[in-house]
Amino acid sequence: MVGDDPKDLAWALNQARYVARLVFISGGLGPTPDDCTRQVISRHFAAPLMPDEDVLNNIIDYFISREKPMPAWIENQALVPKGAVKLTNALGTAPGLWIKRRGSHYFFFPGVPAELQAVFEADVTRLLKDILPTRVEFKALIRTTGISEAKLWEAIDPYTRKPKLELSFLPGFGGVDLLMRGEIAESFEAAVKGIKQVVGPYIYATEERELKEVVGEMLRAEKKTIAVVESCTGGLLARLFTDVPGSSEYFLGGVVAYSNEVKIREVGVKKESIEQHGAVSAETALAMAEGIRERFVSDLGVAVTGVAGPGGGTEEKPVGLVHIALAGQRTRHGEHHRFAGDRERIREQAAAAALDLVRRYLSGILK
Amino acid sequence: MVGDDPKDLAWALNQARYVARLVFISGGLGPTPDDCTRQVISRHFAAPLMPDEDVLNNIIDYFISREKPMPAWIENQALVPKGAVKLTNALGTAPGLWIKRRGSHYFFFPGVPAELQAVFEADVTRLLKDILPTRVEFKALIRTTGISEAKLWEAIDPYTRKPKLELSFLPGFGGVDLLMRGEIAESFEAAVKGIKQVVGPYIYATEERELKEVVGEMLRAEKKTIAVVESCTGGLLARLFTDVPGSSEYFLGGVVAYSNEVKIREVGVKKESIEQHGAVSAETALAMAEGIRERFVSDLGVAVTGVAGPGGGTEEKPVGLVHIALAGQRTRHGEHHRFAGDRERIREQAAAAALDLVRRYLSGILK
């Protein structure tokens, strides 16, 4: 990491020169005076900066379509070093740049993370496939949720002790991804088959898809609508559902029932029930799930209520205790979890568990 | 980045040996067989692995408090290379490690991002302050929202052309951060003062605080309660409010009104109004804000309705158009935005704009 300083940037480019075949540089392509990457490239590669008509037109379109006045100096962004190939940036006005020199490839990205990602996905992934040597091998991604890294390993260990087979465990908030690489078809396939047999119910995808997308597709396929009511996750579960484009087909909406009054008035939980069992209880979670289903006239209702912390925990109901419930026409299912970590982690895990409850119900894993 | 391969890891450590005074290594401290960092450290530093009683007790406590059986092999995590200093990991069972050798400092972190961050914040920040040489200089962080990077630069440029003054613009979803460093007290202070004068209404913090925390503190100080209703942001705005610990003091709850039926039935928007003006309109946004305030009996009601895309845009109401509104006892305020970017970016920007509307109202910037 170097600062926005031409000297430091030039130093970093020089460092990369003799050791790296692929060099990725992000940041400094913006219009403000601290953005000096373009100038440094120009000097380093002895490539004069030329105004690029396409980029300039993009910038002009951007300002016209947003009805904003265009500052004159923004034209700096339209300067492209001679010999550089532009890389599509669907999210911004500054394109990425690709320069080949002495067998090395230099990729320049905008510094805004979303734009960097957009440039990478639009052009660079494809270019790298041509640039990098390919090796014939077998790969599999197995995405699990609801099982810890340690338990997962213990369960699959007997099936994965094979020659030329590599396993990587990638734990995240929502679950553990298992990345497999192998060189021998037979033993690789046997391992994949064994894993699917022994931890099948925990597997939600075997490709680059997220749990929220998988659940959304299941709801769409089953033509079922859903509504959510959440306390400790405070909007996070609804957000996950609505992250998916087209979710309005099955997601009707939700209530963030942060106070008990809202649970009672807007979701129809009985006041006496909360007083007797508490807001964080199996009974309240089920009443919330049934209440939201009725109020929103949906096929399924999901509820989350728990103690996200850092305050509010008791001996009996400690921080991390989360009740989730699902209600359908003939279904009532409740379960509770003890999640570890800070407030954010507990909330993320609780929302993932609620999503997964829907997945397990729709795949027939729940009785 | 190297894989979980002892040879590659050893190579990387050797590379760092002669060139770096500070070396940060993350990953490979877990219990699964692909985790080999501990063994590589032991060999590289000729430091035998010794079982550490404190770490072992932590692991045992972890499993006991979660009422989970403890696999025998998890004890691997309790091995610590001789001479290494343990670093607190509040979120997991594997501690970080700190090793000093020949004037260089090696820090080993767990690979799970949240745990890496926890270890860094708990111990490493403090240690680095002792390790790194200090330089006397002036620093300021100015966090803005609602103004673009280009506009911000244009506005503050005349005030920041000073000797020995460095400016960095850090744009994010929620706004642009301005990082200032200077070496001359007088000109530094004049620049800060000038910036505050010229873009004051866009500044929400001058320290490491997020907009959601600033707004939460304002609501708490003013003893005002709030409820939200959101369409295109689908839970994201509620989530931002409830990210803040203790938010139940002022945040009563919200409704994710994804379908028009929910807007009508649960929030009290008039059906005719939606038919006449559309779900994405100034009229509907205001009706939603007033409706949620009434239903949830809160001091303030905030509403968001827009087109997040990728589908659903029209010539008249394109993807990125978002109406937000605020209702109070004597307040009705509505505004609309045209956000650029993909679905996620539009949603993040819309939620940030709604939060900022509350900030501007509470600071008296809105009439």
Side-chain angles (χ1 to χ4, degrees):
Chain A
M1 187 168 152
V2 294
D4 282 317
D5 180 305
K7 265 204 325 242
D8 293 350
L9 272 168
W11 173 86
L13 275 175
N14 269 318
Q15 288 288 309
R17 197 168 195 164
Y18 301 106
V19 293
R21 225 184 120 195
L22 292 173
V23 184
F24 299 93
I25 299 103
S26 82
L29 299 179
T32 50
D34 58 334
D35 294 312
C36 58
T37 301
R38 227 175 249 101
Q39 283 68 28
V40 172
I41 297 175
S42 169
R43 214 165 308 149
H44 184 83
F45 295 101
L49 294 173
M50 323 279 276
D52 185 285
E53 213 175 317
D54 291 343
V55 179
L56 192 58
N57 285 339
N58 270 345
I59 295 176
I60 293 170
D61 284 353
Y62 177 91
F63 281 89
I64 287 177
S65 74
R66 268 153 206 87
E67 293 166 18
K68 288 177 178 175
M70 187 175 121
W73 41 263
I74 201 133
E75 294 183 13
N76 286 336
Q77 286 206 326
L79 296 175
V80 169
K82 203 175 164 186
V85 177
K86 288 170 288 168
L87 304 170
T88 315
N89 176 359
L91 298 179
T93 48
L97 299 170
W98 171 35
I99 295 175
K100 279 174 283 184
R101 269 310 153 85
R102 293 187 209 87
S104 290
H105 297 265
Y106 297 80
F107 293 94
F108 296 87
F109 299 90
V112 179
E115 295 188 25
L116 184 151
Q117 194 179 347
V119 171
F120 204 99
E121 285 168 2
D123 281 340
V124 180
T125 321
R126 186 177 44 77
L127 292 169
L128 288 179
K129 275 194 190 130
D130 296 336
I131 294 169
L132 294 172
T134 48
R135 198 157 53 109
V136 180
E137 65 169 19
F138 304 93
K139 277 190 212 174
L141 169 66
I142 295 183
R143 314 197 76 169
T144 71
T145 185
I147 183 169
S148 71
E149 184 184 359
K151 277 253 176 90
L152 182 63
W153 177 58
E154 201 170 35
I156 68 175
D157 185 46
Y159 302 90
T160 54
R161 295 184 179 225
K162 310 247 185 238
K164 303 269 185 194
L165 182 69
E166 264 179 56
L167 276 190
S168 302
F169 294 78
L170 307 171
F173 274 138
V176 180
D177 284 354
L178 194 59
L179 212 63
M180 304 175 63
R181 285 156 175 274
E183 287 180 34
I184 305 162
E186 233 169 62
S187 67
F188 181 80
E189 276 156 27
V192 172
K193 201 177 149 200
I195 291 172
K196 285 187 180 169
Q197 242 163 35
V198 76
V199 294
Y202 299 102
I203 299 172
Y204 65 87
T206 51
E207 60 204 316
E208 278 287 358
R209 283 167 73 226
E210 294 189 63
L211 182 55
K212 59 195 178 191
E213 295 169 304
V214 172
V215 170
E217 211 143 292
M218 287 173 129
L219 288 165
R220 189 196 312 268
E222 302 259 329
K223 296 203 196 317
K224 292 227 187 296
T225 57
I226 196 164
V228 305
V229 51
E230 38 189 328
S231 176
C232 65
T233 46
L236 184 46
L237 180 57
R239 186 242 159 109
L240 288 177
F241 273 106
T242 60
D243 272 345
V244 181
S247 45
S248 56
E249 260 184 60
Y250 48 82
F251 183 77
L252 300 187
V255 167
V256 178
Y258 222 51
S259 69
N260 284 344
E261 288 71 47
V262 172
K263 290 186 187 78
I264 295 162
R265 205 178 46 228
E266 302 297 323
V267 195
V269 179
K270 295 226 163 53
K271 198 181 167 201
E272 303 73 43
S273 168
I274 294 185
E275 279 167 357
Q276 194 184 338
H277 306 288
V280 178
S281 64
E283 291 80 3
T284 300
L286 269 173
M288 286 166 70
E290 290 177 335
I292 198 72
R293 179 176 173 269
E294 213 166 285
R295 289 290 288 261
F296 278 57
V297 200
S298 57
D299 295 318
L300 299 174
V302 186
V304 188
T305 178
V307 190
T314 62
E315 183 117 354
E316 200 199 345
K317 295 183 178 176
V319 168
L321 175 70
V322 176
H323 284 272
I324 59 180
L326 177 87
Q329 207 187 345
R330 275 181 302 271
T331 310
R332 281 165 54 102
H333 187 90
E335 59 189 42
H336 70 278
H337 298 264
R338 247 322 280 283
F339 296 120
D342 60 8
R343 179 179 177 86
E344 193 191 342
R345 260 190 128 183
I346 289 168
R347 280 157 49 98
E348 297 270 4
Q349 291 175 92
L355 262 185
D356 192 52
L357 178 60
V358 180
R359 176 189 71 86
R360 282 178 285 138
Y361 169 68
L362 292 174
S363 8
I365 298 170
L366 291 182
K367 64 244 165 192
Chain B
M1 187 168 151
V2 295
D4 283 317
D5 181 304
K7 267 205 321 243
D8 293 350
L9 272 169
W11 173 86
L13 275 176
N14 270 318
Q15 288 288 311
R17 198 169 194 163
Y18 301 107
V19 294
R21 224 185 120 196
L22 292 174
V23 184
F24 299 93
I25 299 102
S26 82
L29 299 180
T32 49
D34 58 335
D35 294 313
C36 59
T37 302
R38 228 175 249 102
Q39 282 69 29
V40 172
I41 297 175
S42 170
R43 214 166 306 151
H44 184 82
F45 295 101
L49 293 173
M50 323 279 277
D52 184 286
E53 214 176 313
D54 291 343
V55 180
L56 192 58
N57 285 338
N58 270 346
I59 294 176
I60 292 170
D61 284 354
Y62 178 91
F63 280 90
I64 287 178
S65 76
R66 266 152 207 90
E67 293 167 17
K68 289 178 178 173
M70 187 175 118
W73 43 262
I74 201 135
E75 295 183 13
N76 287 336
Q77 286 206 327
L79 296 176
V80 169
K82 204 176 164 186
V85 177
K86 288 170 289 169
L87 303 170
T88 315
N89 176 358
L91 298 180
T93 48
L97 299 169
W98 172 35
I99 295 175
K100 280 173 283 184
R101 270 306 155 88
R102 292 187 209 88
S104 289
H105 297 263
Y106 297 80
F107 294 94
F108 295 87
F109 298 90
V112 179
E115 296 189 24
L116 184 151
Q117 194 179 347
V119 171
F120 205 98
E121 285 169 2
D123 281 340
V124 179
T125 321
R126 187 177 42 78
L127 291 168
L128 288 179
K129 276 195 189 129
D130 295 336
I131 294 170
L132 294 171
T134 48
R135 198 159 51 108
V136 181
E137 65 169 18
F138 304 94
K139 278 191 210 173
L141 169 68
I142 295 182
R143 314 196 76 170
T144 71
T145 185
I147 183 168
S148 71
E149 184 184 358
K151 277 253 175 92
L152 181 63
W153 177 58
E154 202 169 34
I156 69 174
D157 186 46
Y159 302 90
T160 54
R161 297 186 178 223
K162 311 245 184 240
K164 302 272 183 191
L165 182 69
E166 265 180 53
L167 277 190
S168 302
F169 294 77
L170 307 170
F173 274 139
V176 180
D177 285 353
L178 194 60
L179 212 63
M180 303 175 63
R181 285 157 174 275
E183 286 179 35
I184 305 163
E186 234 169 61
S187 67
F188 181 78
E189 276 154 27
V192 172
K193 203 179 146 197
I195 292 171
K196 286 187 180 170
Q197 243 162 36
V198 77
V199 294
Y202 300 103
I203 299 172
Y204 65 86
T206 52
E207 59 204 316
E208 277 289 357
R209 283 166 74 224
E210 295 189 63
L211 182 55
K212 58 195 178 190
E213 295 170 305
V214 172
V215 171
E217 211 143 294
M218 286 173 129
L219 287 164
R220 190 197 310 270
E222 302 260 328
K223 297 206 194 319
K224 292 226 188 296
T225 58
I226 197 163
V228 305
V229 52
E230 39 189 329
S231 177
C232 65
T233 46
L236 183 47
L237 181 58
R239 187 244 157 109
L240 289 177
F241 273 107
T242 60
D243 272 344
V244 181
S247 45
S248 54
E249 261 184 59
Y250 47 82
F251 183 77
L252 300 188
V255 167
V256 178
Y258 223 50
S259 69
N260 284 345
E261 289 71 45
V262 171
K263 289 185 187 78
I264 295 162
R265 206 178 45 225
E266 302 297 323
V267 195
V269 179
K270 296 227 163 52
K271 196 179 169 201
E272 302 72 45
S273 169
I274 293 185
E275 281 168 355
Q276 193 185 337
H277 305 288
V280 178
S281 64
E283 291 80 2
T284 300
L286 268 173
M288 287 166 71
E290 290 178 334
I292 199 71
R293 179 177 173 266
E294 214 166 286
R295 288 291 287 261
F296 278 55
V297 200
S298 57
D299 295 317
L300 299 174
V302 186
V304 188
T305 178
V307 190
T314 63
E315 183 118 355
E316 200 199 344
K317 294 182 180 178
V319 169
L321 175 70
V322 177
H323 284 271
I324 58 180
L326 176 86
Q329 207 188 344
R330 276 181 300 270
T331 309
R332 282 165 52 103
H333 188 88
E335 59 188 42
H336 71 276
H337 298 265
R338 249 320 280 285
F339 296 119
D342 60 9
R343 179 178 176 85
E344 193 192 343
R345 260 190 128 183
I346 289 168
R347 281 158 48 99
E348 297 270 3
Q349 291 175 93
L355 262 185
D356 193 52
L357 178 59
V358 180
R359 176 189 71 86
R360 283 178 284 138
Y361 170 68
L362 292 174
S363 9
I365 297 169
L366 292 183
K367 64 244 163 192

